[in-house]
Each structure stands twice: as structure tokens, then as C-alpha cells.
Amino acid sequence: MTDDNRRNEQLARIARNNMGEAAADVPSEPIGLADPKISARGVNVFYGAKQAIKDVSIDVGMDNVVAFIGPSGCGKSTFLRTLNRMNDTIPIARVEGDIRLDGEDIYSPKMDVVQLRARVGMVFQKPNPFPKSIYDNVAYGPRIHGLASGKAELDEIVERSLQRAGLWNEVSDRLSDSGTALSGGQQQRLCIARAIAVDPEVILMDEPCSALDPIATAKIEELIHALRGQYAIVIVTHNMQQAARVSQRTAFFHLGTLVEYGKTSEIFTNPREEKTKDYITGRYG
Ligand SMILES: Nc1ncnc2c1ncn2[C@@H]1O[C@H](COP(=O)(O)OP(=O)(O)O)[C@@H](O)[C@H]1O
Ligand SMILES: [Mg+2]
């Protein structure tokens, strides 16, 4: 067996184990899902004159975790940011195309971007808790959006969000400590709790484990499994083992284009495109 084959076999085995019973409920046609949460069509993104995303179309469903993979610089983060208009914060960035959340055009002038970013939450590479208490980190969004009618309800939201993020047991007795005093992995789960607190529909994660050690990474991966189905989840990762472990669908990007999108098990066992095959066998990237 060549190294390529061995590597392929290993990824396929991880993907098969992950898929297990989930495999049956993942439709094989990813574009044109019956009931997509997010539907992007013909998306182009430019930084000044440079085009970073070229004609990307994709549907993201509610019940699958979607992984974006591809070599560094291929546009994963750029495309992810189009899904909650984070590129709006980059002056030279320009987005073309049609992106819908539950059928609603998110680039419509009528769209309230603050509301949109609550509905489509984001977790970044480097944990970025506010320099505030653990409690206030989680309570921040619900306060801004007026989601709690009083202290008791806010307490409830904070506890529930920390529970869902798998952090409650570790912090319940020190909610007034600073969020920045937690370990890296705990900070990242705090950031996930902060996103969850405003009751989002979609959670976008951009290499959420790249700054974490293997144990903290495993915790985040378990958390992604637990959150599946409650939120539409998209995770950017340059780690193919991670994509195979946490996702049911994988999108492979290369030089700004979406080369292939399908069931994770199929992408890792039987990719349709030569470029995908080259990437998953480690030939480049
Ligand atoms: N803020 C920016 N300004 C200008 N170019 C950018 C900016 N962010 C990303 N790019 C460029 O866009 C391309 C895609 O980058 P990115 O989306 O960060 O890729 P990935 O996340 O896959 O590594 C790269 O060529 C990168 O240099
Ligand atoms: Mg990136």
C-alpha cells in the first residue's frame, strides 16, 4: 500500500465511523436541498481588483455539520464571512451574488445586519472573549437584543448557554471571574456560549481549534457533535481528520472556487474531482 492509499484509508475510516447511522439521512445532492437554511448562488468576492471567491453556489442544511476545507488562501474564511456579512467590515471587500437565510436575501438593504449576526453567529480562530466577567461575556448579546425581561431570566439564559457550550460545570462557581483568565479551550467554549446566548440559527466557526491543544480540541469537537441539529453549523478547518470527524458534508475550495461539495464520507472515499483527490491525499496544500 502506498502512503497515499494508507492516508486515504485512514480518512475514510474516520469518516465512516463518524457517519455511522447519520449517513442515511444525508441527501446526496447538496445544491438544491429541499429546505436549506442557507442558500448561496453565484457568489463572487473581490478585495479591490483581486477576486478571492469565484461563482460559488452552495446550500447548507439544518441537520448537517458542513466542513470547508482547502489549502491556505483558497478563500474559506472569505466565503464563510459572506454568510453573515462580516466582509462588510473590510472596506476593500465587495460581495456579489445571492445569499439567503430561510429564503430571505441577507444583502437586501432592508436586512438589519446586527440582527443578522445574532442569527448567524461566528466563532473565530483565536478565542476572543471580551475583557469582562464570564457572566457578562454571555449576557452581552441578550442584553443588547433585549432578550431577557429581568435578572432571573438573564441568569437562566447565561446558565443554559454555558451548559450547551459544555462549560457550565467548570465555571458555575466563578461567573464573576474574567473570561480572559480561562484556559484557551475554555475561552473558545465561552465564545461559543456567547454566540449561543442570542439563540442563533447558524453558527460559523473559522478554524476554531487551531490555537488549542489536542484535549481542548477534542472537547470542541464533542461540542460540535452535541450541537448538530440544533443549529446549522459550518466549520472551516485545514485539518482533514477534523473534517472527517465532525462533519457530514464537506466542501473543498481551491483558488477561490468550490471544486466539490458532497457527503464527507464520499469526499474522503471517492472524490469526483482529481483536485479533491490530490488534496485529500496530501499532494498539495
Ligand atoms: N482583508 C483582506 N484584504 C485583502 N486580501 C485578502 C483579505 N483577506 C483575505 N485576502 C486574500 O483573499 C484570498 C483568500 O483568503 P482567505 O479567505 O483568508 O483564505 P483561507 O481562509 O482559505 O486561508 C487570499 O489570497 C488572501 O490573501
Ligand atoms: Mg482562513
Side-chain angles (χ1 to χ4, degrees):
M1 214 192 232
T2 66
D3 281 354
D4 277 5
N5 285 342
R6 227 187 314 275
R7 190 183 157 89
N8 243 345
E9 253 314 300
Q10 190 200 2
L11 283 167
R13 195 168 50 245
I14 296 168
R16 271 196 303 272
N17 289 344
N18 162 33
M19 297 300 292
E21 59 189 311
D25 66 14
V26 181
S28 54
E29 183 48 67
I31 292 177
L33 289 179
D35 189 19
K37 191 72 198 169
I38 292 177
S39 187
R41 293 292 178 274
V43 174
N44 296 305
V45 184
F46 301 85
Y47 293 109
K50 183 182 181 298
Q51 186 165 8
I53 289 292
K54 295 168 192 159
D55 194 24
V56 169
S57 295
I58 197 168
D59 280 355
V60 174
M62 195 62 196
D63 53 353
N64 299 304
V65 175
V66 176
F68 289 176
I69 64 169
S72 177
C74 68
K76 304 178 296 295
S77 298
T78 299
F79 186 69
L80 193 75
R81 287 195 299 263
T82 66
L83 304 180
N84 70 348
R85 292 186 52 174
M86 283 299 282
N87 288 316
D88 289 15
T89 64
I90 303 172
I92 61 165
R94 183 163 58 85
V95 178
E96 291 176 357
D98 187 62
I99 302 179
R100 289 174 186 267
L101 176 64
D102 279 340
E104 209 181 330
D105 175 7
I106 69 167
Y107 284 86
S108 153
K110 279 179 289 185
M111 177 60 65
D112 176 338
V113 180
V114 174
Q115 285 293 340
L116 172 69
R117 295 200 187 121
R119 291 173 69 189
V120 184
M122 194 152 193
V123 176
F124 298 87
Q125 239 167 303
K126 203 170 160 290
N128 59 348
F130 304 130
K132 292 170 178 288
S133 70
I134 293 168
Y135 184 98
D136 286 339
N137 262 276
V138 184
Y140 181 83
R143 278 185 180 130
I144 284 186
H145 293 280
L147 299 184
S149 57
K151 172 89 169 91
E153 199 179 344
L154 192 57
D155 287 354
E156 241 175 67
I157 293 174
V158 169
E159 175 169 349
R160 188 174 62 231
S161 305
L162 287 166
Q163 292 271 17
R164 285 199 183 158
L167 190 58
W168 177 251
N169 291 342
E170 291 160 57
V171 301
S172 61
D173 58 350
R174 49 177 174 137
L175 294 177
S176 54
D177 286 7
S178 175
T180 55
L182 296 170
S183 72
Q186 288 173 325
Q187 287 188 25
Q188 199 58 303
R189 279 178 284 145
L190 179 62
C191 292
I192 293 171
R194 185 175 64 188
I196 286 175
V198 290
D199 211 14
E201 296 156 51
V202 182
I203 302 178
L204 309 175
M205 303 189 185
D206 194 350
E207 306 204 19
C209 302
S210 61
L212 305 182
D213 63 47
I215 290 170
T217 295
K219 286 215 171 101
I220 300 281
E221 290 182 1
E222 280 165 30
L223 178 56
I224 292 170
H225 272 291
L227 297 177
R228 179 189 162 209
Q230 301 176 60
Y231 313 93
I233 298 175
V234 183
I235 176 174
V236 170
T237 177
H238 60 244
N239 178 328
M240 282 180 277
Q241 273 79 8
Q242 180 166 69
R245 284 192 299 263
V246 303
S247 74
Q248 289 75 45
R249 278 186 186 298
T250 294
F252 169 61
F253 288 82
H254 182 61
L255 298 175
T257 65
L258 175 55
V259 173
E260 185 165 352
Y261 181 39
K263 291 185 188 181
T264 297
S265 57
E266 285 172 6
I267 295 278
F268 287 122
T269 50
N270 193 18
R272 292 187 297 268
E273 302 293 330
E274 205 59 32
K275 272 189 196 135
T276 314
K277 197 168 161 192
D278 287 350
Y279 183 68
I280 65 167
T281 54
R283 212 156 287 143
Y284 62 91

